[in-house]
Amino acid sequence: MPLSHDHIRTTVETYLARYPHEREQLGAFLGALDGPADIASRSTFTGHVTCGAIVVDPLGRVLHVLHLASGKVLAPGGHTEPADDSLAAAALRELHEETGIPPQSVTPWPDYETVPFDIDIHDIDAHQGKGEPGHQHFDLRFLFRLHAADETPVVLQEEEVGGIEWRPVDRVTSPSLREKLLKLPLQAEPETANASALIYNNRGEYLLHLRDYLPGQIWEPGMWSLLGGGREPQDTTLEHTVRRELAEEAGLDLADLAPFGTEYATDDAGATVPIAIYAGRWNGDPRELHLTEGVMLAWFTPDDLHRLRIADTTSDLVRRHAASLPTPQSGPEPEEERLASPHGTVPNIIGVHLYLERPDGTVLLGLRHPNCSGCATPTPRSRRPPGTSWLATASRRTPSPA
């Protein structure tokens, strides 16, 4: 159903609480909200609501598109639709339709998640071909930042959009919008203060860390994640951060770490947290590591990830990295690639069995390596008293002696 006048009025009043001096210039909009006509419908030609997406890239530039209908270069945007859950959602939908940029590629600007950054009223000329008389648009503009301009493909809506342009703030076409943007510190990305390690081996497996199940105390409790953590004052770079975290959490020291990308996670408050990702190869045995945080470490292939409780962003990151690597060779590994530990060479791991139980003893997860055809599912462990910690066990199959 169309967006209600109550939703629109609440949004406008929240906006005016920040910009009370604009109440008079928005008088026509407020008057239309008091009238009988549905201004969420584009067929209301006294005036109706439109929504725009103001997108700022990591360089501080603002996205503009050439609207073919008007011949003007403006921010992406358009009319609301009955399926839109909110005015901000309408702006994101229009952004995707006109430019191909998906909602997950942008983040609402802090403190502007549900509040427009700007509201503008402008006249629309009559369109004889569509039988539309002249009318007004009440345009609510929401502010977003783009995660990474070079990784976001642009696919134009050819029947409505003739091209795109990233403009510096002082060349933004709307005067009211330009004035507000010039007053805003345009650091398009929050400072990256977290780093994680994407560790992989010669068999195309990835080392994942099972977090403690302590809701309210541990971020993403009971989920599989990458090793890493937050920057501390003594860290001169984020590479120093991830190396320190590896040493503290698992006693692990990797010879080579290379920047791979950025993961965008959401913290408990709903804010977007950027995490710098460093990739490194390691062919060791996680059973030999001294784990100081979390439940356990284990190797998984990308094909195993759908069986795990894991963030979509982490899963996508692993799959993207795996796609960039040569396909692992089948057959026995060369002697120099066999797993090494402080206690000597250990047999090659060819499978992983993982069983998690909830506190009541029910099995949460059972995982067998897809190539381990002879494995039988073990009998679940006895039920544990309610309130105890989760239990995680892992076993490994090794080749039988010849």
Side-chain angles (χ1 to χ4, degrees):
M1 60 182 299
L3 296 169
S4 69
H5 278 210
D6 286 342
H7 173 70
I8 299 170
R9 184 186 303 278
T10 298
T11 303
V12 174
E13 289 295 340
T14 305
Y15 172 83
L16 287 174
R18 297 189 180 188
Y19 305 103
H21 61 281
E22 294 187 22
R23 182 171 292 274
E24 183 177 352
Q25 69 191 55
L26 296 183
F29 191 2
L30 296 171
L33 279 169
D34 292 331
D38 180 12
I39 63 171
S41 170
R42 64 186 301 169
S43 62
T44 302
F45 290 114
T46 52
H48 52 250
V49 169
T50 58
C51 295
I54 311 305
V55 180
V56 182
D57 76 359
L59 299 178
R61 302 172 302 177
V62 182
L63 177 63
H64 288 68
V65 299
L66 172 60
H67 282 273
L68 297 177
S70 64
K72 297 179 180 179
V73 177
L74 305 167
H79 296 89
T80 62
E81 299 288 350
D84 293 328
D85 294 330
S86 67
L87 294 162
L92 285 174
R93 176 185 51 74
E94 285 289 333
L95 172 67
H96 187 208
E97 289 178 359
E98 292 188 350
T99 70
I101 297 176
Q104 61 267 29
S105 291
V106 299
T107 302
W109 202 275
D111 297 326
Y112 289 94
E113 290 84 356
T114 59
V115 182
F117 183 69
D118 185 54
I119 297 180
D120 183 65
I121 300 177
H122 49 265
D123 295 328
I124 301 297
D125 295 334
H127 194 298
Q128 300 300 330
K130 293 184 177 180
E132 295 180 352
H135 57 282
Q136 287 187 313
H137 277 181
F138 309 128
D139 194 28
L140 296 92
R141 299 157 170 178
F142 293 84
L143 184 61
F144 304 92
R145 56 183 166 214
L146 185 69
H147 291 165
D150 58 348
E151 296 181 4
T152 304
V154 174
V155 181
L156 299 181
Q157 188 179 26
E158 294 182 355
E159 62 273 20
E160 294 188 17
V161 178
I164 70 163
E165 183 180 352
W166 290 95
R167 292 192 171 191
V169 174
D170 59 1
R171 292 185 55 231
V172 168
T173 54
S174 166
S176 63
L177 182 61
R178 181 171 62 248
E179 180 182 357
K180 289 175 181 173
L181 287 171
L182 285 170
K183 296 177 181 178
L184 187 70
L186 289 183
Q187 181 188 0
E189 293 287 351
E191 181 182 0
T192 303
N194 299 271
S196 294
L198 187 66
I199 302 173
Y200 61 103
N201 63 21
N202 289 344
R203 296 180 302 280
E205 297 169 327
Y206 289 80
L207 188 67
L208 296 180
H209 174 223
L210 180 60
R211 296 179 181 271
D212 291 303
Y213 185 65
L214 297 172
Q217 301 180 44
I218 299 294
W219 187 22
E220 297 181 335
M223 295 186 71
W224 289 94
S225 65
L226 305 179
L227 286 167
R231 189 170 188 170
E232 295 187 359
Q234 69 270 26
D235 302 331
T236 57
T237 67
L238 286 171
E239 182 177 342
H240 291 157
T241 296
V242 73
R243 288 189 178 279
R244 177 184 50 74
E245 288 288 335
L246 288 175
E248 292 177 356
E249 293 183 1
L252 186 57
D253 181 19
L254 299 187
D256 295 308
L257 280 173
F260 177 69
T262 303
E263 179 182 11
Y264 293 88
T266 304
D267 64 15
D268 294 336
T272 298
V273 178
I275 303 172
I277 305 299
Y278 289 81
R281 190 190 302 267
W282 182 67
N283 284 299
D285 183 356
R287 294 173 300 179
E288 302 294 339
L289 298 176
H290 178 59
L291 190 62
T292 60
E293 296 181 18
V295 179
M296 65 177 294
L297 293 164
W299 292 111
F300 294 97
T301 69
D303 291 339
D304 291 331
L305 299 183
H306 71 282
R307 302 169 179 172
L308 306 180
R309 190 168 183 263
I310 185 172
D312 290 341
T313 53
T314 305
S315 179
D316 292 343
L317 193 73
V318 170
R319 295 180 191 279
R320 182 156 56 90
H321 184 268
S324 70
L325 296 177
T327 303
Q329 299 297 316
S330 60
E333 293 177 334
E335 185 64 27
E336 64 271 18
E337 294 184 354
R338 291 172 64 85
L339 299 178
S341 79
H343 304 290
T345 301
V346 297
N348 294 331
I349 296 173
I350 63 169
V352 175
H353 308 259
L354 178 64
Y355 302 93
L356 297 181
E357 295 176 7
R358 292 189 176 94
D360 64 359
T362 59
V363 175
L364 177 68
L365 175 68
L367 174 63
R368 293 189 306 175
H369 193 288
N371 295 328
C372 191
S373 58
C375 302
T377 301
T379 303
R381 300 171 69 96
S382 59
R383 294 186 176 271
R384 300 171 63 82
T388 58
S389 299
W390 279 12
L391 174 68
T393 61
S395 62
R396 304 286 194 270
R397 283 180 60 90
T398 57
S400 302

